[in-house]
Amino acid sequence: MMAIRDSFENADMFMPQWGGMGDICGPLGWAPEVMCDMTESGNYTIIGISIRGALRGSLSPLILDLENLSALQLSSLYITKPGLLKTIKQLTQLNTLDITNVAVGFTTAELDLSGFTNLESLTLRNVLMTGPIAKLNLPSLPNLHFLDLGQNRLTGELPEGLSSIVQMDLSTNQLSGMLPTDLLSSPNVTSIMLYNNRLQGALPDVFSSATKLRTLELSLNKLVAPSLLLSQSRALSPTSI
């Protein structure tokens, strides 16, 4: 763990809790950036890591040695060394991946997510990601419930096969085409944020099936609302077309 910490140049300032600890999970070594669990044998194991703040450097590939790691959050880091994406692509056991405000810089073709079958929550927000959204292979993630890919430069049409999604935010991209009917009619979805894209066409009359949908934000597109959406009594807040 100290090697992971020391891969950032200014770790002493932003990760002081990690310093000088023999057992980062133990009673004397707990750090708020680390989530731990206890195995049946009574040993501690690291299951989650959150690294955030104005840290400079990159994520050490030694994180791959944490076999039980299931959650990783990286936020507002200054990446000054190569290799972050290569490391992330090998963490296929994760069920939560959150990278926010980190200038990774990659194309969707470089991040095929089809091997991340355990993912339940995926956030890649404002990470300089470009290219067709289809290249991410999102429909291959059967357990994905939360998806936030906002503030990137994703292109192309939204794929079908995202009916497991509960909350989605793909706002401020360059997505085009029609909206997939299976997403709009999903009985699971509660929030869809797709404002500030290039979507166009008429919205399908399928909202009656989306009984849990409470937030629908589609402004700054070229979409036409059906009469059903305009006349239904169930309130969507906010609803913008």
Side-chain angles (χ1 to χ4, degrees):
M1 287 300 297
M2 291 302 295
I4 295 174
R5 172 191 182 276
D6 291 343
S7 64
F8 295 96
E9 302 165 14
N10 52 342
D12 287 339
M13 181 180 300
F14 292 95
M15 304 167 74
Q17 296 90 344
W18 289 32
M21 299 176 184
D23 182 2
I24 200 168
C25 290
L28 300 179
W30 181 84
E33 299 90 354
V34 179
M35 294 181 292
C36 300
D37 197 5
M38 185 173 287
T39 65
E40 294 181 358
S41 60
N43 298 318
Y44 286 105
T45 182
I46 295 173
I47 61 173
I49 294 178
S50 176
I51 302 175
R52 56 193 185 277
L55 287 158
R56 296 187 302 271
S58 190
L59 188 66
S60 169
L62 292 175
I63 198 171
L64 300 174
D65 295 337
L66 303 177
E67 298 179 355
N68 295 311
L69 187 69
S70 61
L72 177 64
Q73 179 189 44
L74 306 175
S75 178
S76 302
L77 307 179
Y78 295 100
I79 299 301
T80 60
K81 302 175 184 177
L84 176 59
L85 185 63
K86 181 180 179 181
T87 300
I88 295 298
K89 289 166 63 174
Q90 298 179 69
L91 294 170
T92 54
Q93 79 277 14
L94 295 177
N95 59 42
T96 299
L97 175 60
D98 182 342
I99 306 178
T100 302
N101 298 329
V102 180
V104 184
F106 62 96
T107 67
T108 52
E110 297 177 87
L111 186 61
D112 182 351
L113 294 169
S114 57
F116 288 74
T117 53
N118 295 323
L119 266 185
E120 299 177 8
S121 177
L122 174 63
T123 299
L124 298 171
R125 187 174 187 85
N126 191 22
V127 293
L128 301 182
M129 176 170 50
T130 63
I133 191 172
K135 294 290 186 180
L136 293 173
N137 282 318
L138 294 173
S140 67
L141 307 177
N143 302 306
L144 189 64
H145 302 315
F146 180 88
L147 177 64
D148 184 350
L149 306 179
Q151 297 182 25
N152 287 293
R153 286 180 287 171
L154 297 174
T155 60
E157 297 186 6
L158 280 170
E160 297 275 354
L162 299 178
S163 56
S164 66
I165 294 292
V166 175
Q167 297 182 55
M168 169 189 284
D169 188 342
L170 301 180
S171 58
T172 313
N173 277 286
Q174 299 171 14
L175 299 171
S176 58
M178 305 285 290
L179 293 176
T181 56
D182 63 337
L183 173 63
L184 296 178
S185 62
S186 170
N188 302 312
V189 67
T190 64
S191 175
I192 300 176
M193 307 288 282
L194 288 167
Y195 62 86
N196 196 19
N197 275 285
R198 300 174 181 177
L199 303 169
Q200 56 187 354
L203 288 172
D205 263 341
V206 294
F207 290 96
S208 59
S209 301
T211 55
K212 297 181 180 179
L213 183 61
R214 290 295 177 268
T215 302
L216 178 64
E217 175 57 87
L218 303 174
S219 60
L220 300 177
N221 285 288
K222 296 181 179 179
L223 294 166
V224 178
S227 57
L228 173 63
L229 180 60
L230 298 178
S231 62
Q232 63 183 339
S233 58
R234 179 168 51 88
L236 297 175
S237 177
T239 304
S240 300
I241 305 297

